[in-house]
Amino acid sequence: MDKIIIEGGNTRLSGQVTIEGAKNAVLPLLAATILAEEGKTTLTNVPILSDVYTMNNVVRGLDVDVAFDEANNQVTVDATGDILDVAPYEYVSKMRASIVVLGPLLARKGHAVVSMPGGCTIGSRPIDLHLKGLEALGAEITQTGGDITATADKLKGTTIYMDFPSVGATQNLMMAATLAEGTTIIENAAREPEIVDLAVLLNKMGAKVRGAGTETLTIVGVDSLHGVEHDVVQDRIEAGTFMVAAAMTSGDVLVKNAIWEHNRPLISKLMEMGVEVTEEENGIRVKSDVAKLKPVTVKTLPHPGFPTDMQAQFTALMAVVSGESTMIETVFENRFQHLEEMRRMGLRSEIMRDTAVIHGGEHLQGAPVMSTDLRASAALILAGMVADGVTTVSKLNHLDRGYYKFHEKLQALGATIRRVSEEG
Ligand code: EPZ
């Protein structure tokens, strides 16, 4: 397994960085291609990430033709044949996000078998809201031998109130409802930009989805959907990660083709700290002087609240800002593991259930650290840039799930960083 070695100290990032298509958009978009009974679907601006390869294999395992043209960042899917209704355990078990094939597969085939996703390091990740919603649409759900089997001759539109605005459950139910009989209303739906991107694709395919981006979705069922072309929305979390990297290194970075609207909760917190964030015609510019930044309190919430996927990275920024900052993680129950690792770098913090108090501004020291999940990996690398001495981050399989050429992009901005194989 590779590791990343960072020489910290006085890194000041400057220049421009380009953002990829969003991991958390392309995965459900790939699942949605299953719905097209005629014509091929081509997704462009597809990021080269290990999770994309995994989802391609999940869809391919349904006897669907999936061609990934990495050189042009595009995937073409032909689901026009008589596709299978059992998602391949080998790949589904690798990535819990595969669960979003359940809704479209059930809608297309009237029967679907998908293995039950396990938990992960950041939380137990139940799927009760997915299953409850599909049952409300008339599906019969059984769970045997670690598999979920869903059956429904024809899903029937209904009104579903979601106990929690789950992103994945909203996506599963929205996709299932596109081919249901009648109208489905999903209340307390997730509002993330990735939900909007999925609705745009579905409507291009011939679906009738209204209200995406608000807490109420209305989906009028249609008979069939067809293949289209669609450009994956920019990755707001990758963009946010580089915005935080610039802020914590007293940098001056233009995050190219980042979308201001998608990052408003993060931008508002950065500005509250004293970071200069400006909207330019081709992206978002971030300038800061760490010495002048003030500590803040942040609470993660479903969109349009502060994104939980920026929590770890933001705690690295809090670590360099003098004073006591507070991070409250309300979305996942175990998402502070990066702080345990940063303790090895000298960070003082107290964690009480969903709240972490961070004593920032005391110099971090470089150390060997281990990443526990995707965003923790990014946070530890960012911390390594500002720590005195050398930091080595291992277990990079997590990082490769959600960031493309992360260390090269940081290197191009001025970080002293390299990636070596464990042996090296
Ligand atoms: C998506 O996960 C993202 N993943 C996550 O990004 C992101 O953190 C999360 O949304 C929240 O924004 C993808 O899009 C592939 P949820 P998802 O269902 O859909 C509880 C990253 O780093 N819940 O909104 O799994 C759940 O336990 C990843 O890119 C239920 O209780 O998130 C959690 O506490 C990490 N029952 C909360 O809701 C359910 O049936 C949010 O989960 C479903 C969820």
Side-chain angles (χ1 to χ4, degrees), residues 121-140:
T121 55
I122 65 175
S124 66
R125 314 291 293 271
I127 58 166
D128 54 309
L129 300 177
H130 298 242
L131 303 184
K132 218 165 86 175
L134 292 174
E135 284 175 334
L137 287 168
E140 192 191 313

PDB file of all heavy atoms in Angstrom, residues 121-140:
ATOM      1  N   THR A 121     -16.292   2.855   9.065  1.00  0.00           N
ATOM      2  CA  THR A 121     -15.627   3.403  10.258  1.00  0.00           C
ATOM      3  C   THR A 121     -16.346   4.642  10.791  1.00  0.00           C
ATOM      4  O   THR A 121     -16.213   4.983  11.946  1.00  0.00           O
ATOM      5  CB  THR A 121     -14.172   3.804   9.920  1.00  0.00           C
ATOM      6  OG1 THR A 121     -14.225   4.700   8.804  1.00  0.00           O
ATOM      7  CG2 THR A 121     -13.339   2.595   9.557  1.00  0.00           C
ATOM      8  N   ILE A 122     -17.103   5.348   9.923  1.00  0.00           N
ATOM      9  CA  ILE A 122     -17.697   6.603  10.429  1.00  0.00           C
ATOM     10  C   ILE A 122     -19.082   6.388  11.026  1.00  0.00           C
ATOM     11  O   ILE A 122     -19.647   7.295  11.636  1.00  0.00           O
ATOM     12  CB  ILE A 122     -17.751   7.704   9.342  1.00  0.00           C
ATOM     13  CG1 ILE A 122     -18.684   7.307   8.191  1.00  0.00           C
ATOM     14  CG2 ILE A 122     -16.372   8.045   8.837  1.00  0.00           C
ATOM     15  CD1 ILE A 122     -18.859   8.407   7.150  1.00  0.00           C
ATOM     16  N   GLY A 123     -19.630   5.181  10.852  1.00  0.00           N
ATOM     17  CA  GLY A 123     -20.944   4.977  11.467  1.00  0.00           C
ATOM     18  C   GLY A 123     -21.567   3.667  11.033  1.00  0.00           C
ATOM     19  O   GLY A 123     -21.061   2.986  10.140  1.00  0.00           O
ATOM     20  N   SER A 124     -22.719   3.325  11.633  1.00  0.00           N
ATOM     21  CA  SER A 124     -23.335   2.019  11.345  1.00  0.00           C
ATOM     22  C   SER A 124     -24.011   2.032   9.975  1.00  0.00           C
ATOM     23  O   SER A 124     -24.190   1.005   9.343  1.00  0.00           O
ATOM     24  CB  SER A 124     -24.363   1.693  12.425  1.00  0.00           C
ATOM     25  OG  SER A 124     -25.414   2.631  12.330  1.00  0.00           O
ATOM     26  N   ARG A 125     -24.367   3.207   9.487  1.00  0.00           N
ATOM     27  CA  ARG A 125     -24.887   3.381   8.126  1.00  0.00           C
ATOM     28  C   ARG A 125     -26.074   2.470   7.814  1.00  0.00           C
ATOM     29  O   ARG A 125     -26.051   1.674   6.899  1.00  0.00           O
ATOM     30  CB  ARG A 125     -23.787   3.180   7.086  1.00  0.00           C
ATOM     31  CG  ARG A 125     -22.473   3.870   7.340  1.00  0.00           C
ATOM     32  CD  ARG A 125     -22.527   5.371   7.224  1.00  0.00           C
ATOM     33  NE  ARG A 125     -22.764   5.875   5.900  1.00  0.00           N
ATOM     34  CZ  ARG A 125     -21.803   6.146   5.002  1.00  0.00           C
ATOM     35  NH1 ARG A 125     -20.562   5.888   5.303  1.00  0.00           N
ATOM     36  NH2 ARG A 125     -22.110   6.629   3.819  1.00  0.00           N
ATOM     37  N   PRO A 126     -27.143   2.507   8.597  1.00  0.00           N
ATOM     38  CA  PRO A 126     -28.313   1.669   8.315  1.00  0.00           C
ATOM     39  C   PRO A 126     -28.987   2.079   7.005  1.00  0.00           C
ATOM     40  O   PRO A 126     -28.699   3.157   6.471  1.00  0.00           O
ATOM     41  CB  PRO A 126     -29.234   1.937   9.502  1.00  0.00           C
ATOM     42  CG  PRO A 126     -28.852   3.282   9.988  1.00  0.00           C
ATOM     43  CD  PRO A 126     -27.381   3.411   9.742  1.00  0.00           C
ATOM     44  N   ILE A 127     -29.865   1.217   6.495  1.00  0.00           N
ATOM     45  CA  ILE A 127     -30.602   1.562   5.259  1.00  0.00           C
ATOM     46  C   ILE A 127     -32.111   1.411   5.483  1.00  0.00           C
ATOM     47  O   ILE A 127     -32.871   1.213   4.531  1.00  0.00           O
ATOM     48  CB  ILE A 127     -30.148   0.677   4.070  1.00  0.00           C
ATOM     49  CG1 ILE A 127     -30.353  -0.811   4.385  1.00  0.00           C
ATOM     50  CG2 ILE A 127     -28.714   0.977   3.669  1.00  0.00           C
ATOM     51  CD1 ILE A 127     -30.244  -1.703   3.165  1.00  0.00           C
ATOM     52  N   ASP A 128     -32.512   1.582   6.733  1.00  0.00           N
ATOM     53  CA  ASP A 128     -33.941   1.426   7.045  1.00  0.00           C
ATOM     54  C   ASP A 128     -34.822   2.385   6.249  1.00  0.00           C
ATOM     55  O   ASP A 128     -35.920   2.023   5.799  1.00  0.00           O
ATOM     56  CB  ASP A 128     -34.176   1.606   8.541  1.00  0.00           C
ATOM     57  CG  ASP A 128     -33.593   2.934   9.053  1.00  0.00           C
ATOM     58  OD1 ASP A 128     -32.410   3.209   8.780  1.00  0.00           O
ATOM     59  OD2 ASP A 128     -34.340   3.697   9.669  1.00  0.00           O
ATOM     60  N   LEU A 129     -34.336   3.606   6.018  1.00  0.00           N
ATOM     61  CA  LEU A 129     -35.161   4.597   5.299  1.00  0.00           C
ATOM     62  C   LEU A 129     -35.317   4.194   3.825  1.00  0.00           C
ATOM     63  O   LEU A 129     -36.363   4.427   3.208  1.00  0.00           O
ATOM     64  CB  LEU A 129     -34.545   5.994   5.416  1.00  0.00           C
ATOM     65  CG  LEU A 129     -34.408   6.523   6.852  1.00  0.00           C
ATOM     66  CD1 LEU A 129     -33.724   7.880   6.858  1.00  0.00           C
ATOM     67  CD2 LEU A 129     -35.769   6.592   7.544  1.00  0.00           C
ATOM     68  N   HIS A 130     -34.259   3.592   3.266  1.00  0.00           N
ATOM     69  CA  HIS A 130     -34.357   3.102   1.883  1.00  0.00           C
ATOM     70  C   HIS A 130     -35.481   2.060   1.798  1.00  0.00           C
ATOM     71  O   HIS A 130     -36.360   2.122   0.930  1.00  0.00           O
ATOM     72  CB  HIS A 130     -33.052   2.413   1.445  1.00  0.00           C
ATOM     73  CG  HIS A 130     -31.832   3.270   1.437  1.00  0.00           C
ATOM     74  ND1 HIS A 130     -31.098   3.545   0.311  1.00  0.00           N
ATOM     75  CD2 HIS A 130     -31.170   3.898   2.449  1.00  0.00           C
ATOM     76  CE1 HIS A 130     -30.054   4.301   0.616  1.00  0.00           C
ATOM     77  NE2 HIS A 130     -30.080   4.521   1.906  1.00  0.00           N
ATOM     78  N   LEU A 131     -35.410   1.080   2.716  1.00  0.00           N
ATOM     79  CA  LEU A 131     -36.311  -0.076   2.633  1.00  0.00           C
ATOM     80  C   LEU A 131     -37.751   0.323   2.960  1.00  0.00           C
ATOM     81  O   LEU A 131     -38.697  -0.080   2.276  1.00  0.00           O
ATOM     82  CB  LEU A 131     -35.828  -1.198   3.560  1.00  0.00           C
ATOM     83  CG  LEU A 131     -34.393  -1.680   3.300  1.00  0.00           C
ATOM     84  CD1 LEU A 131     -34.038  -2.850   4.205  1.00  0.00           C
ATOM     85  CD2 LEU A 131     -34.174  -2.055   1.820  1.00  0.00           C
ATOM     86  N   LYS A 132     -37.896   1.198   3.963  1.00  0.00           N
ATOM     87  CA  LYS A 132     -39.235   1.657   4.362  1.00  0.00           C
ATOM     88  C   LYS A 132     -39.905   2.395   3.182  1.00  0.00           C
ATOM     89  O   LYS A 132     -41.084   2.184   2.881  1.00  0.00           O
ATOM     90  CB  LYS A 132     -39.102   2.620   5.549  1.00  0.00           C
ATOM     91  CG  LYS A 132     -40.192   2.484   6.614  1.00  0.00           C
ATOM     92  CD  LYS A 132     -39.784   3.202   7.884  1.00  0.00           C
ATOM     93  CE  LYS A 132     -40.147   4.667   7.856  1.00  0.00           C
ATOM     94  NZ  LYS A 132     -39.852   5.339   9.149  1.00  0.00           N
ATOM     95  N   GLY A 133     -39.117   3.196   2.486  1.00  0.00           N
ATOM     96  CA  GLY A 133     -39.663   3.959   1.356  1.00  0.00           C
ATOM     97  C   GLY A 133     -40.074   3.051   0.213  1.00  0.00           C
ATOM     98  O   GLY A 133     -41.132   3.224  -0.399  1.00  0.00           O
ATOM     99  N   LEU A 134     -39.254   2.031  -0.059  1.00  0.00           N
ATOM    100  CA  LEU A 134     -39.583   1.102  -1.151  1.00  0.00           C
ATOM    101  C   LEU A 134     -40.828   0.295  -0.792  1.00  0.00           C
ATOM    102  O   LEU A 134     -41.689   0.038  -1.643  1.00  0.00           O
ATOM    103  CB  LEU A 134     -38.395   0.185  -1.458  1.00  0.00           C
ATOM    104  CG  LEU A 134     -37.170   0.882  -2.079  1.00  0.00           C
ATOM    105  CD1 LEU A 134     -36.009  -0.104  -2.205  1.00  0.00           C
ATOM    106  CD2 LEU A 134     -37.499   1.492  -3.447  1.00  0.00           C
ATOM    107  N   GLU A 135     -40.954  -0.057   0.485  1.00  0.00           N
ATOM    108  CA  GLU A 135     -42.183  -0.782   0.904  1.00  0.00           C
ATOM    109  C   GLU A 135     -43.396   0.118   0.742  1.00  0.00           C
ATOM    110  O   GLU A 135     -44.449  -0.308   0.280  1.00  0.00           O
ATOM    111  CB  GLU A 135     -42.037  -1.246   2.364  1.00  0.00           C
ATOM    112  CG  GLU A 135     -41.128  -2.470   2.500  1.00  0.00           C
ATOM    113  CD  GLU A 135     -40.873  -2.861   3.956  1.00  0.00           C
ATOM    114  OE1 GLU A 135     -40.945  -1.983   4.844  1.00  0.00           O
ATOM    115  OE2 GLU A 135     -40.572  -4.050   4.202  1.00  0.00           O
ATOM    116  N   ALA A 136     -43.219   1.410   1.036  1.00  0.00           N
ATOM    117  CA  ALA A 136     -44.349   2.346   0.875  1.00  0.00           C
ATOM    118  C   ALA A 136     -44.774   2.421  -0.587  1.00  0.00           C
ATOM    119  O   ALA A 136     -45.954   2.625  -0.905  1.00  0.00           O
ATOM    120  CB  ALA A 136     -43.916   3.734   1.363  1.00  0.00           C
ATOM    121  N   LEU A 137     -43.801   2.192  -1.488  1.00  0.00           N
ATOM    122  CA  LEU A 137     -44.120   2.205  -2.928  1.00  0.00           C
ATOM    123  C   LEU A 137     -44.691   0.870  -3.382  1.00  0.00           C
ATOM    124  O   LEU A 137     -44.946   0.662  -4.571  1.00  0.00           O
ATOM    125  CB  LEU A 137     -42.840   2.528  -3.728  1.00  0.00           C
ATOM    126  CG  LEU A 137     -42.357   3.986  -3.663  1.00  0.00           C
ATOM    127  CD1 LEU A 137     -40.940   4.100  -4.228  1.00  0.00           C
ATOM    128  CD2 LEU A 137     -43.305   4.927  -4.407  1.00  0.00           C
ATOM    129  N   GLY A 138     -44.875  -0.054  -2.416  1.00  0.00           N
ATOM    130  CA  GLY A 138     -45.522  -1.329  -2.758  1.00  0.00           C
ATOM    131  C   GLY A 138     -44.581  -2.493  -2.908  1.00  0.00           C
ATOM    132  O   GLY A 138     -44.980  -3.595  -3.294  1.00  0.00           O
ATOM    133  N   ALA A 139     -43.306  -2.308  -2.607  1.00  0.00           N
ATOM    134  CA  ALA A 139     -42.355  -3.424  -2.754  1.00  0.00           C
ATOM    135  C   ALA A 139     -42.465  -4.364  -1.559  1.00  0.00           C
ATOM    136  O   ALA A 139     -42.755  -3.944  -0.446  1.00  0.00           O
ATOM    137  CB  ALA A 139     -40.933  -2.877  -2.835  1.00  0.00           C
ATOM    138  N   GLU A 140     -42.225  -5.651  -1.835  1.00  0.00           N
ATOM    139  CA  GLU A 140     -42.120  -6.617  -0.738  1.00  0.00           C
ATOM    140  C   GLU A 140     -40.628  -6.850  -0.524  1.00  0.00           C
ATOM    141  O   GLU A 140     -39.893  -7.178  -1.461  1.00  0.00           O
ATOM    142  CB  GLU A 140     -42.811  -7.924  -1.149  1.00  0.00           C
ATOM    143  CG  GLU A 140     -43.016  -8.883   0.021  1.00  0.00           C
ATOM    144  CD  GLU A 140     -43.454 -10.258  -0.497  1.00  0.00           C
ATOM    145  OE1 GLU A 140     -44.363 -10.272  -1.355  1.00  0.00           O
ATOM    146  OE2 GLU A 140     -42.836 -11.256  -0.101  1.00  0.00           O
TER     147      GLU A 140
END
